[in-house]
Amino acid sequence: MAMEGESKELPEVLVLGPPWVFSTLESQFPNKFHYLKPWLSQLPLHQFLTSYAQSTQALLIPVSPPLNSPILDCLPSLKLVVTVSAGVEHLNFAELRGRGIAVAYAGNVFSEDVADMAVGLLIDVLRKVSAGDRFVKQRLQPIKPDFPLRSKLSGKQIGIVGLGKIGSEVAKRLEGFGCRISYNSRTKKPLVSYSYYSNVHELATNCEVLIICCGLTEETHHMINREVMLELGKDGVIINIGRGAVIDEKEMIRCLIEGEIGGAGLDVFEFEPEIPKQLFTLDNVVLSPHTAVTTHESFVGIAKLAVENLEAFFSNKPLLSPYVA
Amino acid sequence: MAMEGESKELPEVLVLGPPWVFSTLESQFPNKFHYLKPWLSQLPLHQFLTSYAQSTQALLIPVSPPLNSPILDCLPSLKLVVTVSAGVEHLNFAELRGRGIAVAYAGNVFSEDVADMAVGLLIDVLRKVSAGDRFVKQRLQPIKPDFPLRSKLSGKQIGIVGLGKIGSEVAKRLEGFGCRISYNSRTKKPLVSYSYYSNVHELATNCEVLIICCGLTEETHHMINREVMLELGKDGVIINIGRGAVIDEKEMIRCLIEGEIGGAGLDVFEFEPEIPKQLFTLDNVVLSPHTAVTTHESFVGIAKLAVENLEAFFSNKPLLSPYVA
């Protein structure tokens, strides 16, 4: 269990979840910390925390479930939360600030992988890569069949929703395809030459593809609603590698079924871990099980970053990837 | 049939095949030519040609079957062959030159679409886009499953085999992903900054991905043999959007099954229209039914180019996309 002798002198880190990446972290960076692992205990979580974590200063968590007040109430010494996600919608920053707790997050570790996946999903929706693979493998048949014509990517007008690090990486990649890039974000970026639209309606009206790269906040919740989808139009494509609830998922499904938008490539969903079954039968939809970040390289990268943030914290040095709300 | 009144005064074009794009060509550009359509006749082809095509100067053909001597012998007035493919392995240039017959081909019409597909196949193989879609849709299950970690594209060392128009378009796209580009071609390109390897063995040794962008000639037939694949190595990925027989397909299948290379994304196959069934069960292989060129945009583009080449020919103007062997 978590209390054995030799690791007692290492700095103590409470792990909840655990995050997917924790096994990578433990194996790649051994003997760095003494981990408290409540999931290995017979005790209920609350009792584990009040029994063993009263002096715990650092906490490592996944993106889900949300870090709530009852848990924080059990951790009176907590000073640092390290989350291994780029999205931070599971954290209440007002409360954490009030308790004097800092946050380190994934920063840009996943940005390239997520951007690669966004482009992969877009090519797949337009060019039917998955459908072609399925077609060949399932029908066991010679090629040059009645396979439908698809749509060209090069030259398309792409609308990036949220031009942060991930959105910028997506834009950089699609420039190489000769696409024309526009974007919507809270403010115009002074150093960026792409066309800026101050609201997502104008962006949708002027683009053939929307790529959702923003995080989930009160402002972005259901930002891509039925009206935006109708503005995007019947040949329009939506790619979502941000967060599911940025799109009104129920309306999106209706638009996809009724042909009011042309297709979608989705790595995230509004009510994860559930994916609406209505999406499974749609040929114009490519689904991905929230794997935009799951490469060997990014797992080693986030494990390293989490360790470095914890080491910085215990050495009273600045965090490497602090989240400033 | 092909001999009706009103179209008799239009320039005459013999169509063999017909090419896939012919219906687009006929519908998008009507009343340009009088087409001879032997497939609508009851006559055997040879008899049709000797009966109706003795004065035919222009011929429109698909990439398959090869244009052979017995057909050319039936067409004594032939001066132009228009093929709607970028590959020209179905044409015997020595014979055509000897008969004084010029060739117009697809030129660069397909280059962007083919390059887009090459990148789409590469992302799919590395990031398992098709497998993820299949996984979600077939298992009907919540996300975050036991889905395997994949490999990162950004930063990979990419070897382009054949840096013509398509290869250059592929390279341009992958630069946007932060990939490092090398290439092999008959000669070093003076204006290109990518690393040049004069033979494909050195290229394979120094790269993590090979993308086959060259045409099929005697020199390129089975250029990617077992030795090259072993040099590429067990994590190496092969993408083929060129021609199937550039790779020794039997050896590639063996390497894929035995884990001597890491994966493959294939739009073309050695013995088309057949695709080896052994490939169907391999999770590290993405298959595409020779659809790298099949977009609405490229079909309209090749139809337009074919018409423009024919118009130029009948007006004694230079061809728009002559093939110079």
Side-chain angles (χ1 to χ4, degrees):
Chain A
M1 233 282 295
M3 300 284 99
E4 284 151 26
E6 61 191 3
S7 57
K8 279 294 279 182
E9 288 166 36
L10 296 172
E12 187 179 84
V13 176
L14 172 65
V15 183
L16 295 181
W20 278 26
V21 75
F22 184 63
S23 60
T24 305
L25 191 153
E26 265 199 312
S27 62
Q28 300 265 332
F29 304 95
N31 305 317
K32 293 278 187 184
F33 309 103
H34 168 62
Y35 296 111
L36 296 182
K37 304 174 181 178
W39 67 92
L40 296 184
S41 166
Q42 303 292 328
L43 297 176
L45 179 59
H46 181 273
Q47 199 176 332
F48 180 95
L49 298 181
T50 49
S51 302
Y52 296 113
Q54 294 306 291
S55 61
T56 297
Q57 295 186 62
L59 170 62
L60 181 70
I61 57 167
V63 70
S64 171
L67 182 60
N68 59 27
S69 303
I71 287 177
L72 292 172
D73 287 341
C74 296
L75 301 170
S77 306
L78 196 66
K79 293 280 170 262
L80 174 69
V81 171
V82 178
T83 183
V84 294
S85 59
V88 291
E89 68 275 14
H90 55 311
L91 299 174
N92 179 335
F93 284 93
E95 178 172 19
L96 291 172
R97 234 185 340 260
R99 293 175 184 255
I101 299 171
V103 172
Y105 78 126
N108 295 328
V109 165
F110 299 128
S111 302
E112 293 179 333
D113 277 333
V114 174
D116 292 351
M117 192 67 171
V119 177
L121 286 170
L122 176 56
I123 299 177
D124 197 336
V125 172
L126 292 174
R127 301 298 309 277
K128 295 286 178 199
V129 183
S130 291
D133 183 67
R134 208 161 49 228
F135 185 92
V136 173
K137 289 179 177 171
Q138 289 180 2
R139 298 204 200 172
L140 308 176
Q141 70 159 26
I143 54 179
K144 300 234 174 169
D146 55 340
F147 199 72
L149 281 181
R150 305 315 309 166
S151 181
K152 181 170 183 157
L153 172 55
S154 294
K156 279 239 170 351
Q157 183 77 48
I158 308 286
I160 310 272
V161 180
L163 198 71
K165 176 69 173 164
I166 292 172
S168 301
E169 291 286 339
V170 172
K172 187 177 81 176
R173 283 155 179 71
L174 289 174
E175 278 193 275
F177 291 77
C179 293
R180 292 163 293 156
I181 312 290
S182 306
Y183 71 104
N184 162 249
S185 60
R186 276 168 295 190
T187 55
K188 190 175 187 314
K189 313 276 177 187
L191 301 175
V192 165
S193 62
Y194 310 134
S195 305
Y196 173 68
Y197 293 98
S198 61
N199 74 70
V200 77
H201 296 280
E202 281 179 41
L203 185 73
T205 303
N206 287 284
C207 288
E208 302 165 274
V209 174
L210 287 183
I211 305 185
I212 315 303
C213 301
C214 60
L216 180 61
T217 64
E218 279 182 24
E219 291 74 37
T220 65
H221 182 265
H222 281 202
M223 179 169 58
I224 309 301
N225 56 24
R226 178 169 178 79
E227 198 182 333
V228 172
M229 290 185 251
L230 295 181
E231 287 155 349
L232 184 61
K234 69 181 183 52
D235 294 322
V237 170
I238 294 178
I239 303 298
N240 194 359
I241 45 79
R243 283 289 178 257
V246 175
I247 303 177
D248 183 337
E249 192 170 77
K250 194 176 152 192
E251 285 298 338
M252 178 184 65
I253 293 170
R254 196 170 126 194
C255 286
L256 284 164
I257 290 172
E258 294 178 4
E260 289 167 325
I261 59 173
L266 307 169
D267 186 55
V268 289
F269 303 89
E270 185 165 0
F271 303 105
E272 295 186 19
E274 293 303 322
I275 304 180
K277 291 195 173 43
Q278 294 154 288
L279 291 170
F280 295 0
T281 55
L282 297 176
D283 260 349
N284 53 343
V285 174
V286 179
L287 302 176
S288 169
H290 202 148
T291 50
V293 305
T294 55
T295 65
H296 292 290
E297 292 85 348
S298 71
F299 266 45
V300 173
I302 185 62
K304 182 166 174 285
L305 181 63
V307 166
E308 288 171 346
N309 273 306
L310 289 166
E311 287 182 326
F313 168 74
F314 287 117
S315 314
N316 293 311
K317 291 180 182 162
L319 296 174
L320 275 89
S321 55
Y323 189 88
V324 184
Chain B
M1 233 283 294
M3 302 283 99
E4 283 151 27
E6 61 189 3
S7 57
K8 279 296 279 180
E9 290 167 35
L10 296 172
E12 187 179 84
V13 176
L14 171 65
V15 183
L16 294 181
W20 277 25
V21 75
F22 184 63
S23 61
T24 305
L25 191 153
E26 264 199 311
S27 63
Q28 300 266 331
F29 304 95
N31 306 317
K32 293 277 185 184
F33 308 103
H34 169 62
Y35 296 111
L36 297 182
K37 303 174 181 177
W39 67 92
L40 296 183
S41 167
Q42 304 293 326
L43 296 176
L45 179 59
H46 181 272
Q47 199 177 331
F48 180 96
L49 298 180
T50 51
S51 302
Y52 295 115
Q54 293 307 289
S55 62
T56 295
Q57 295 186 62
L59 170 63
L60 181 69
I61 57 166
V63 70
S64 170
L67 182 59
N68 58 28
S69 303
I71 288 178
L72 292 171
D73 288 340
C74 296
L75 301 170
S77 307
L78 195 66
K79 291 280 171 261
L80 174 69
V81 171
V82 178
T83 182
V84 294
S85 60
V88 290
E89 68 274 15
H90 54 312
L91 299 174
N92 179 335
F93 284 92
E95 177 171 22
L96 291 171
R97 231 182 346 257
R99 293 175 185 256
I101 299 171
V103 172
Y105 78 127
N108 295 328
V109 165
F110 299 129
S111 302
E112 293 178 334
D113 277 334
V114 174
D116 292 351
M117 192 67 171
V119 177
L121 287 171
L122 177 56
I123 299 178
D124 197 336
V125 173
L126 291 176
R127 300 298 307 277
K128 296 284 177 201
V129 183
S130 291
D133 184 66
R134 206 160 52 227
F135 185 92
V136 173
K137 288 178 178 170
Q138 289 181 1
R139 298 205 199 172
L140 309 176
Q141 70 160 25
I143 55 178
K144 299 233 171 167
D146 56 339
F147 199 72
L149 282 181
R150 306 314 308 165
S151 180
K152 181 168 183 159
L153 172 56
S154 294
K156 278 238 171 353
Q157 183 76 48
I158 308 286
I160 310 272
V161 180
L163 197 73
K165 176 69 173 163
I166 292 173
S168 302
E169 291 286 339
V170 172
K172 188 176 81 175
R173 283 155 178 72
L174 289 174
E175 278 193 275
F177 291 76
C179 294
R180 292 162 293 158
I181 313 289
S182 307
Y183 73 103
N184 162 249
S185 61
R186 275 167 295 189
T187 54
K188 190 174 187 315
K189 312 277 178 186
L191 301 176
V192 165
S193 62
Y194 309 133
S195 305
Y196 173 67
Y197 292 98
S198 62
N199 74 69
V200 78
H201 295 281
E202 281 177 42
L203 186 73
T205 302
N206 286 284
C207 288
E208 302 165 273
V209 174
L210 288 183
I211 305 184
I212 316 303
C213 300
C214 60
L216 180 61
T217 64
E218 280 182 23
E219 290 74 37
T220 65
H221 182 267
H222 281 202
M223 178 168 59
I224 309 300
N225 56 24
R226 178 170 179 77
E227 197 183 337
V228 172
M229 290 184 252
L230 295 182
E231 286 155 348
L232 184 62
K234 68 182 184 51
D235 294 323
V237 170
I238 294 178
I239 303 298
N240 194 0
I241 45 77
R243 283 290 180 255
V246 175
I247 302 177
D248 183 336
E249 192 171 77
K250 192 176 153 193
E251 285 297 338
M252 179 184 65
I253 292 170
R254 196 171 126 193
C255 286
L256 284 164
I257 290 174
E258 295 178 3
E260 289 167 324
I261 60 173
L266 307 169
D267 186 55
V268 289
F269 303 89
E270 185 164 0
F271 302 105
E272 295 186 18
E274 292 304 322
I275 304 180
K277 291 193 174 45
Q278 294 154 287
L279 291 170
F280 294 1
T281 55
L282 297 177
D283 260 350
N284 53 343
V285 175
V286 179
L287 302 175
S288 169
H290 203 147
T291 51
V293 305
T294 54
T295 66
H296 292 290
E297 292 85 349
S298 71
F299 267 44
V300 173
I302 185 64
K304 181 166 176 283
L305 181 63
V307 166
E308 289 172 346
N309 273 307
L310 289 165
E311 288 183 326
F313 169 75
F314 288 117
S315 312
N316 294 311
K317 291 180 181 161
L319 296 174
L320 276 88
S321 55
Y323 189 87
V324 184

